Amino acid sequence: MSYFKVYIINGSGGSGKDTFCNLVWTAMDNFDPHSLVHKYYTSAPAKKWASLMGWDEKSKRPMDRRFLCELKDMLDYWDNVTYKYLKEKIEEVLYNYTTFDRKILFLHAREDKDITWIKEYCCKKGIYCKTIKVNRKVLNENSKYGNHADDGVSKSGIAYDYVIDNNGTKVDLTKEVYNNFIYKEDLFQ
């Protein structure tokens, strides 16, 4: 059976969002090599502009995170850059890659406004879309990253479809991803 599914994924820095996506990709690749799993970030346009201005892409200091957050805000205020980018990526995966029967798109989004917009856009287009939050207890819920996007993750008003707890080893997370996401979403159909 073929499908296209969009998942909006959120979680504090270091919670395991990329690891989660990689586990799904590995599972899908092992199940059917003709499955496609892509991931994109709402921060990608801001990171691209920041790189042009000399930002070191490997740097994740609080001042870097704040700079990227504020640059993203300005780009969105100026020309809805994040929304245009996400729309392009959703449609790219939806309409291209026609040789793949199963297509999964993970969109990393931290802000409620972005999560809401993506969900509404997918709904209007008739695209399957669910939300995921990855939690990690070792990250102090009261920790501050120095910008509203990161600091707002624990205060999100979104009712997530899936909440994945990443509080142990990678083996524990793998079990959590399979039992509480892959099998529930019936991705191997």
Side-chain angles (χ1 to χ4, degrees):
M1 173 184 254
S2 70
Y3 58 74
F4 174 56
K5 296 183 176 186
V6 172
Y7 297 101
I8 306 161
I9 188 164
N10 192 6
S12 298
S15 62
K17 297 177 300 294
D18 282 318
T19 303
F20 176 95
C21 295
N22 292 338
L23 288 168
V24 173
W25 178 83
T26 300
M28 295 307 295
D29 191 50
N30 288 336
F31 170 70
D32 177 4
H34 296 287
S35 298
L36 176 75
V37 179
H38 262 309
K39 61 183 175 181
Y40 296 105
Y41 303 81
T42 57
S43 61
K47 287 180 177 179
K48 180 180 177 182
W49 281 84
S51 292
L52 293 171
M53 293 184 271
W55 169 67
D56 176 7
E57 296 177 29
K58 295 176 184 160
S59 184
K60 292 187 176 184
R61 299 171 300 172
M63 68 176 66
D64 297 307
R65 290 179 177 272
R66 183 174 179 182
F67 168 64
L68 291 171
C69 180
E70 291 179 8
L71 181 57
K72 178 187 174 297
D73 290 344
M74 291 305 299
L75 290 168
D76 289 344
Y77 176 77
W78 168 61
D79 196 29
N80 286 324
V81 172
T82 301
Y83 301 129
K84 288 178 180 179
Y85 169 79
L86 292 176
K87 180 181 171 198
E88 175 187 306
K89 294 305 178 188
I90 291 168
E91 291 181 2
E92 177 183 303
V93 174
L94 176 61
Y95 298 119
N96 297 329
Y97 306 104
T98 55
T99 59
F100 295 96
D101 291 331
R102 295 168 185 83
K103 296 188 274 188
I104 296 172
L105 178 59
F106 287 106
L107 298 175
H108 290 248
R110 291 230 170 106
E111 298 176 67
D112 286 4
K113 69 179 179 63
D114 293 335
I115 295 167
T116 301
W117 178 86
I118 296 165
K119 190 102 167 149
E120 288 174 357
Y121 176 81
C122 288
C123 184
K124 286 178 188 172
K125 291 284 193 176
I127 299 169
Y128 183 93
C129 183
K130 298 274 180 144
T131 55
I132 303 164
K133 184 173 182 193
V134 179
N135 288 326
R136 189 165 176 89
K137 283 185 183 176
V138 296
L139 298 173
N140 183 347
E141 287 292 333
N142 297 320
S143 65
K144 297 288 182 195
Y145 292 88
N147 66 79
H148 68 83
D150 286 314
D151 293 342
V153 170
S154 63
K155 300 170 190 148
S156 175
I158 301 293
Y160 292 91
D161 297 300
Y162 293 97
V163 176
I164 303 297
D165 290 317
N166 180 17
N167 297 315
T169 65
K170 188 170 180 181
V171 171
D172 296 330
L173 178 59
T174 302
K175 289 177 188 175
E176 178 82 5
V177 169
Y178 272 84
N179 294 333
N180 294 315
F181 178 72
I182 291 174
Y183 295 142
K184 287 184 178 181
E185 275 295 297
D186 206 11
L187 295 181
F188 295 148
Q189 63 180 336

